[in-house]
Amino acid sequence: MNRKPSIFERIADFVTGKGFYFIVLACVAAIGLSGYFLVRGVRRGLADAQQDQPVGGSAHIVVTPTPGLASQAPASASPEVSPSAPAESAQPTPSPSVQPSPSAQPANLVFTWPVSGAVIVPFSLDVLAYDETMGDWRTHNGLDIAAELDTRVLATAEGTVSAIYDDPLMGTTLVIEHGNGLTSLYANLTDTPAVQVGDPVYTGTIIGAVGNTAPAESGRADHLHFAMYQDGQAVNPENYLPEK
């Protein structure tokens, strides 16, 4: 009767047989493969860790600021003005020079007749007067005072000569400003007055002489055409002149 080998006998036979060596080789191969993949995994992990680490050494990055940004002052800061080159806005704006106004009319102007003859044509703005030279009826904005040719003409009051010109109708004309808008006008003078524009005159100063240069009044006897204006409006000179 055949006896069945025990388990221990089977193990002894397996160990001494070829199957045992095959299993050992398989185990060694498995261990080798495991070690290979383990080492590869460790190396890959070290490489990833090195990539995450900052770069060492003495290298450094220099950042060049954009011109003007670093020194730009805040919007609320006041601009600094260099003493050697002041900003234009820091310079005071010069005030425009004030031109002196014409001298005011003296409180006590003294008036005189420019010539002493009779009034041959009175002042008339409301009533028309016949003009012998023009042959029509018209107003008259001054006085025609009889005077021989070359009779000296006097300034009626203190003031400044403001104009001398040749009027096409009234001939050589001279104007004096007395202040406060009051002016006096002398027409039908000789060609060359005795004063110039800008000259100061006083009551009775000789300013020229009676002539015959006014074409519009050449039909009348020799005379001086004398007028006065207040703020550009003709006024009756006899309201200012003393009584004869």
Side-chain angles (χ1 to χ4, degrees):
M1 179 175 189
N2 293 331
R3 185 177 59 86
K4 223 182 213 187
S6 66
I7 188 168
F8 294 103
E9 290 175 342
R10 290 180 182 178
I11 292 172
D13 292 339
F14 178 77
V15 170
T16 57
K18 295 180 179 180
F20 175 76
Y21 296 104
F22 178 77
I23 292 175
V24 170
L25 289 175
C27 291
V28 171
I31 293 171
L33 288 175
S34 298
Y36 169 76
F37 287 110
L38 177 62
V39 171
R40 184 176 178 182
V42 171
R43 288 183 177 178
R44 181 176 296 177
L46 291 176
D48 294 339
Q50 288 178 353
Q51 290 180 356
D52 294 338
Q53 294 297 323
V55 179
S58 59
H60 61 279
I61 299 174
V62 178
V63 179
T64 303
T66 302
L69 293 180
S71 60
Q72 183 176 1
S76 60
S78 300
E80 182 179 355
V81 179
S82 172
S84 59
E88 183 177 353
S89 59
Q91 295 297 322
T93 303
S95 301
S97 59
V98 179
Q99 298 296 330
S101 58
S103 58
Q105 177 179 336
N108 297 315
L109 273 179
V110 177
F111 293 87
T112 187
W113 285 78
V115 290
S116 59
V119 175
I120 57 177
V121 180
F123 173 86
S124 178
L125 290 183
D126 299 328
V127 180
L128 297 178
Y130 182 73
D131 188 318
E132 300 88 347
T133 304
M134 306 304 291
D136 58 10
W137 295 81
R138 60 181 59 199
T139 59
H140 194 245
N141 63 354
L143 302 177
D144 286 349
I145 308 171
E148 295 181 0
L149 293 178
D150 295 326
T151 299
R152 294 182 301 178
V153 177
L154 311 180
T156 191
E158 180 181 353
T160 302
V161 178
S162 60
I164 298 175
Y165 57 94
D166 184 17
D167 187 274
L169 295 179
M170 301 306 300
T172 303
T173 303
L174 185 148
V175 179
I176 298 176
E177 290 187 2
H178 303 286
N180 285 350
L182 181 66
T183 60
S184 57
L185 179 146
Y186 312 77
N188 198 31
L189 298 174
T190 57
D191 293 333
T192 307
V195 292
Q196 298 179 350
V197 174
D199 286 350
V201 295
Y202 304 93
T203 304
T205 298
I206 298 172
I207 60 173
V210 175
N212 57 0
T213 57
E217 296 185 349
S218 59
R220 298 174 185 169
D222 295 335
H223 67 279
L224 170 72
H225 179 85
F226 176 63
M228 295 187 70
Y229 298 85
Q230 179 65 55
D231 299 322
Q233 300 296 322
V235 293
N236 190 347
E238 292 189 88
N239 294 337
Y240 297 83
L241 300 174
E243 294 183 3
K244 290 188 177 180

